[in-house]
Amino acid sequence: MPGIEVDGNDALAIYEKASEAVQRARQGEGPTLMECRTYRWFGHHEGDPGASYRSREEVEMWKQRDPVKRLREQVLASGWAEPDDFERIDEEVRSLIEDAAKFALASPQPEAATALDQVFCG
Amino acid sequence: MESKREIEVAKTQSSVRQGLDETSSERVGAYVEAGIEAIRDEMRRNPDIFYIGQGIGPRGGNFAQTRGLWNEFGDERLRDTPIAELAQVGLGIGAALAGSRPIVDLVFFDFILEASGQLIQQASTIHYISNGKFRVPLVIRAAMGGVRNTGPHHSHTFYSFFMHIPGLRVAVPATSYDVKGLLKTALRCDDPVLFIEHKALYNTKGPLPAQEYTVPFGRPASRRPGRDVTLIAVSLMVSKALEAAEILEREGISVEVIDPRTVAPLDKETILQSVSKTGRLVILDEAYAACGFSAEVAALASEEALDELDAPIRRICALPAPHAFSPSLNDYLIPSVDRVVREVRSTLRG
């Protein structure tokens, strides 16, 4: 089985290599192992600064390789989309998250008596 | 005039209290410090002990449960592992067979499930199937219980699962004193031991003698003497039992609180003697009722002390649902002091 290493912060590189792997699989040539090298910017959970087990420099180095920013630059350079398209997508995502957060914060705590609901399907 | 039985009970309890010896210590320390102290002492004493786990090296553990140990013992004896519980426990068993005394820290007790085959089918059986030729002196350390609403994957109290398995020992300490004393016993025991602390207790403080002592397995602590009802609890639930007992005392209900400290081995005598004295038994458990610690204690009393009981045995346990993230739901599922007071009261008043 072939094993390949890919820059996990380069969406187009992953697309390209994954396409090859999928094609191999569809041709009956078996699986491919893809190692996409990437990084978690934030802590392990909300409230973990993620600083006690790695250096600030390491985190900063990976932030320079922001995969979203890179994809945006690649797409703009190729002329596949305009800056306006990205702004519209950003706005859609932002309002989706804001609405969800508002809904969650405005909702009451669940009734204690519902604590045993949903353990089984019915 | 006291009956013969009451005198015997009183004698046993006073010896249990002496065994505890908590009141004689003026030094006070945190539950988490007690664990560090026991490990430091034992690692200095015994060069065969080493310690592995996730983030327990230079970082000092999620709960600061190994703080300072790496500075003293270094990578040679205290080493971080990848996130792979099955491999950690497997490595521990192999090293124990080869003559070491490993401590495998799983940090969150929930993740014992990832390694349960190793523990249940290998560690617990090897001494038996080798006809006593091989020993597995392995200590699994982990913290159980829900704090800060961490949901079903980081909150469980699955210690009863391991009471079911012959060949395993299971300690569930409630105090600083017991953490130090029981952990030392675990590190001198030739059987595999699960040493299960409680996250909500790590920052609590209690008597912690600086000098050498051990707490033997299978020796309960009487936390509060009482006449009317026996209340059995371990780990965090001991403090809820004591709070409830305080409230009930004001109503004229005298509650005897007993903490078995280890659930495997589970000491029968102290429980049965107390039930014989009070005539009523309530078991308080942070885990589920079905097939759990509470079921085992209830079975014990019904098998061996049925004639002594003046009321049905009652169990106060987590309600049967996964832990909820929502604080209001989780507080409802886990036994509260209010619930303990209500249920003990109705055991007395029918």
Side-chain angles (χ1 to χ4, degrees), chain A residues 52-53 109-116 119, chain B residues 59 319-322 326-329 332-333:
Chain A
S52 63
Y53 42 84
Q109 290 290 327
E111 288 291 325
T114 65
L116 291 167
V119 176
Chain B
R59 185 166 171 244
L319 301 180
S326 161
S328 60
L329 300 185
Y332 179 77
L333 294 170

mmCIF file of all heavy atoms in Angstrom, chain A residues 52-53 109-116 119, chain B residues 59 319-322 326-329 332-333:
data_model
loop_
_atom_site.group_PDB
_atom_site.id
_atom_site.type_symbol
_atom_site.label_atom_id
_atom_site.label_comp_id
_atom_site.label_asym_id
_atom_site.label_seq_id
_atom_site.Cartn_x
_atom_site.Cartn_y
_atom_site.Cartn_z
ATOM 1 N N SER A 52 1.135 25.002 27.849
ATOM 2 C CA SER A 52 2.022 24.348 28.807
ATOM 3 C C SER A 52 2.837 23.219 28.178
ATOM 4 O O SER A 52 3.730 22.685 28.790
ATOM 5 C CB SER A 52 1.213 23.804 29.992
ATOM 6 O OG SER A 52 0.311 22.810 29.553
ATOM 7 N N TYR A 53 2.492 22.841 26.940
ATOM 8 C CA TYR A 53 3.192 21.708 26.334
ATOM 9 C C TYR A 53 3.804 22.034 24.977
ATOM 10 O O TYR A 53 4.155 21.150 24.209
ATOM 11 C CB TYR A 53 2.252 20.495 26.217
ATOM 12 C CG TYR A 53 0.848 20.828 25.744
ATOM 13 C CD1 TYR A 53 0.580 20.944 24.391
ATOM 14 C CD2 TYR A 53 -0.182 21.046 26.663
ATOM 15 C CE1 TYR A 53 -0.692 21.254 23.952
ATOM 16 C CE2 TYR A 53 -1.460 21.365 26.229
ATOM 17 C CZ TYR A 53 -1.716 21.466 24.875
ATOM 18 O OH TYR A 53 -2.982 21.778 24.441
ATOM 19 N N GLN A 109 -32.457 26.884 30.870
ATOM 20 C CA GLN A 109 -31.831 25.601 31.199
ATOM 21 C C GLN A 109 -32.903 24.523 31.042
ATOM 22 O O GLN A 109 -34.069 24.768 31.337
ATOM 23 C CB GLN A 109 -31.324 25.615 32.646
ATOM 24 C CG GLN A 109 -30.134 26.529 32.886
ATOM 25 C CD GLN A 109 -28.863 26.010 32.240
ATOM 26 O OE1 GLN A 109 -28.654 24.803 32.135
ATOM 27 N NE2 GLN A 109 -28.016 26.918 31.772
ATOM 28 N N PRO A 110 -32.510 23.324 30.604
ATOM 29 C CA PRO A 110 -33.523 22.284 30.452
ATOM 30 C C PRO A 110 -34.149 21.904 31.799
ATOM 31 O O PRO A 110 -33.501 22.000 32.836
ATOM 32 C CB PRO A 110 -32.745 21.095 29.873
ATOM 33 C CG PRO A 110 -31.330 21.504 29.783
ATOM 34 C CD PRO A 110 -31.171 22.908 30.215
ATOM 35 N N GLU A 111 -35.414 21.501 31.749
ATOM 36 C CA GLU A 111 -36.105 21.036 32.959
ATOM 37 C C GLU A 111 -35.411 19.792 33.488
ATOM 38 O O GLU A 111 -35.134 18.860 32.729
ATOM 39 C CB GLU A 111 -37.557 20.666 32.618
ATOM 40 C CG GLU A 111 -38.457 21.847 32.321
ATOM 41 C CD GLU A 111 -38.717 22.678 33.572
ATOM 42 O OE1 GLU A 111 -38.806 22.090 34.662
ATOM 43 O OE2 GLU A 111 -38.800 23.928 33.438
ATOM 44 N N ALA A 112 -35.156 19.769 34.800
ATOM 45 C CA ALA A 112 -34.477 18.612 35.392
ATOM 46 C C ALA A 112 -35.215 17.305 35.076
ATOM 47 O O ALA A 112 -34.601 16.272 34.835
ATOM 48 C CB ALA A 112 -34.346 18.798 36.899
ATOM 49 N N ALA A 113 -36.541 17.391 35.027
ATOM 50 C CA ALA A 113 -37.334 16.179 34.815
ATOM 51 C C ALA A 113 -37.118 15.554 33.439
ATOM 52 O O ALA A 113 -37.509 14.415 33.198
ATOM 53 C CB ALA A 113 -38.813 16.478 35.013
ATOM 54 N N THR A 114 -36.459 16.291 32.528
ATOM 55 C CA THR A 114 -36.194 15.715 31.206
ATOM 56 C C THR A 114 -34.845 14.973 31.169
ATOM 57 O O THR A 114 -34.435 14.495 30.114
ATOM 58 C CB THR A 114 -36.179 16.803 30.114
ATOM 59 O OG1 THR A 114 -35.068 17.687 30.372
ATOM 60 C CG2 THR A 114 -37.456 17.610 30.087
ATOM 61 N N ALA A 115 -34.191 14.882 32.319
ATOM 62 C CA ALA A 115 -32.837 14.309 32.338
ATOM 63 C C ALA A 115 -32.799 12.855 31.886
ATOM 64 O O ALA A 115 -31.762 12.367 31.454
ATOM 65 C CB ALA A 115 -32.231 14.433 33.737
ATOM 66 N N LEU A 116 -33.916 12.144 32.015
ATOM 67 C CA LEU A 116 -33.923 10.726 31.619
ATOM 68 C C LEU A 116 -34.495 10.509 30.217
ATOM 69 O O LEU A 116 -34.614 9.375 29.761
ATOM 70 C CB LEU A 116 -34.687 9.893 32.650
ATOM 71 C CG LEU A 116 -33.969 9.783 34.002
ATOM 72 C CD1 LEU A 116 -34.887 9.223 35.069
ATOM 73 C CD2 LEU A 116 -32.720 8.939 33.883
ATOM 74 N N VAL A 119 -32.600 8.400 26.528
ATOM 75 C CA VAL A 119 -31.627 7.340 26.794
ATOM 76 C C VAL A 119 -31.818 6.215 25.766
ATOM 77 O O VAL A 119 -30.864 5.676 25.221
ATOM 78 C CB VAL A 119 -31.753 6.791 28.232
ATOM 79 C CG1 VAL A 119 -30.802 5.624 28.458
ATOM 80 C CG2 VAL A 119 -31.473 7.896 29.253
ATOM 81 N N ARG B 59 4.889 18.516 32.456
ATOM 82 C CA ARG B 59 3.647 19.282 32.642
ATOM 83 C C ARG B 59 3.038 19.043 34.024
ATOM 84 O O ARG B 59 2.275 19.869 34.524
ATOM 85 C CB ARG B 59 2.666 18.886 31.542
ATOM 86 C CG ARG B 59 1.385 19.681 31.540
ATOM 87 C CD ARG B 59 0.629 19.463 30.233
ATOM 88 N NE ARG B 59 -0.689 20.068 30.333
ATOM 89 C CZ ARG B 59 -1.827 19.387 30.286
ATOM 90 N NH1 ARG B 59 -1.808 18.071 30.137
ATOM 91 N NH2 ARG B 59 -2.974 20.002 30.388
ATOM 92 N N LEU B 319 -28.955 8.429 38.551
ATOM 93 C CA LEU B 319 -30.080 7.944 37.754
ATOM 94 C C LEU B 319 -29.539 7.410 36.422
ATOM 95 O O LEU B 319 -28.506 7.868 35.939
ATOM 96 C CB LEU B 319 -31.093 9.068 37.535
ATOM 97 C CG LEU B 319 -31.674 9.656 38.828
ATOM 98 C CD1 LEU B 319 -32.665 10.768 38.502
ATOM 99 C CD2 LEU B 319 -32.323 8.572 39.683
ATOM 100 N N PRO B 320 -30.256 6.416 35.831
ATOM 101 C CA PRO B 320 -29.693 5.709 34.681
ATOM 102 C C PRO B 320 -29.771 6.476 33.363
ATOM 103 O O PRO B 320 -30.584 6.168 32.496
ATOM 104 C CB PRO B 320 -30.512 4.412 34.635
ATOM 105 C CG PRO B 320 -31.810 4.779 35.262
ATOM 106 C CD PRO B 320 -31.516 5.825 36.288
ATOM 107 N N ALA B 321 -28.912 7.462 33.224
ATOM 108 C CA ALA B 321 -28.753 8.197 31.959
ATOM 109 C C ALA B 321 -27.281 8.566 31.853
ATOM 110 O O ALA B 321 -26.609 8.701 32.887
ATOM 111 C CB ALA B 321 -29.609 9.459 31.961
ATOM 112 N N PRO B 322 -26.764 8.736 30.616
ATOM 113 C CA PRO B 322 -25.381 9.222 30.497
ATOM 114 C C PRO B 322 -25.249 10.582 31.188
ATOM 115 O O PRO B 322 -26.246 11.288 31.346
ATOM 116 C CB PRO B 322 -25.188 9.359 28.985
ATOM 117 C CG PRO B 322 -26.220 8.479 28.371
ATOM 118 C CD PRO B 322 -27.396 8.525 29.312
ATOM 119 N N SER B 326 -25.524 19.646 30.414
ATOM 120 C CA SER B 326 -26.289 20.716 31.040
ATOM 121 C C SER B 326 -26.223 20.610 32.565
ATOM 122 O O SER B 326 -26.523 19.562 33.129
ATOM 123 C CB SER B 326 -27.746 20.610 30.583
ATOM 124 O OG SER B 326 -28.560 21.327 31.477
ATOM 125 N N PRO B 327 -25.833 21.694 33.232
ATOM 126 C CA PRO B 327 -25.737 21.625 34.702
ATOM 127 C C PRO B 327 -27.049 21.224 35.365
ATOM 128 O O PRO B 327 -27.054 20.428 36.302
ATOM 129 C CB PRO B 327 -25.344 23.050 35.107
ATOM 130 C CG PRO B 327 -24.775 23.667 33.877
ATOM 131 C CD PRO B 327 -25.423 22.997 32.700
ATOM 132 N N SER B 328 -28.163 21.732 34.853
ATOM 133 C CA SER B 328 -29.432 21.431 35.525
ATOM 134 C C SER B 328 -29.776 19.946 35.411
ATOM 135 O O SER B 328 -30.313 19.349 36.344
ATOM 136 C CB SER B 328 -30.568 22.286 34.958
ATOM 137 O OG SER B 328 -30.742 22.038 33.574
ATOM 138 N N LEU B 329 -29.441 19.338 34.283
ATOM 139 C CA LEU B 329 -29.722 17.912 34.110
ATOM 140 C C LEU B 329 -28.756 17.065 34.926
ATOM 141 O O LEU B 329 -29.151 16.108 35.591
ATOM 142 C CB LEU B 329 -29.632 17.512 32.625
ATOM 143 C CG LEU B 329 -30.577 18.215 31.657
ATOM 144 C CD1 LEU B 329 -30.444 17.618 30.274
ATOM 145 C CD2 LEU B 329 -32.022 18.132 32.138
ATOM 146 N N TYR B 332 -29.425 16.871 38.556
ATOM 147 C CA TYR B 332 -30.589 16.035 38.846
ATOM 148 C C TYR B 332 -30.212 14.546 38.855
ATOM 149 O O TYR B 332 -30.747 13.768 39.628
ATOM 150 C CB TYR B 332 -31.655 16.312 37.781
ATOM 151 C CG TYR B 332 -32.927 15.504 37.925
ATOM 152 C CD1 TYR B 332 -33.887 15.840 38.882
ATOM 153 C CD2 TYR B 332 -33.177 14.425 37.086
ATOM 154 C CE1 TYR B 332 -35.054 15.105 39.011
ATOM 155 C CE2 TYR B 332 -34.345 13.688 37.199
ATOM 156 C CZ TYR B 332 -35.276 14.032 38.167
ATOM 157 O OH TYR B 332 -36.434 13.311 38.282
ATOM 158 N N LEU B 333 -29.258 14.194 37.980
ATOM 159 C CA LEU B 333 -28.891 12.777 37.837
ATOM 160 C C LEU B 333 -28.020 12.270 38.987
ATOM 161 O O LEU B 333 -28.134 11.124 39.402
ATOM 162 C CB LEU B 333 -28.138 12.564 36.505
ATOM 163 C CG LEU B 333 -28.951 12.795 35.227
ATOM 164 C CD1 LEU B 333 -28.037 12.789 33.997
ATOM 165 C CD2 LEU B 333 -30.033 11.723 35.071
#
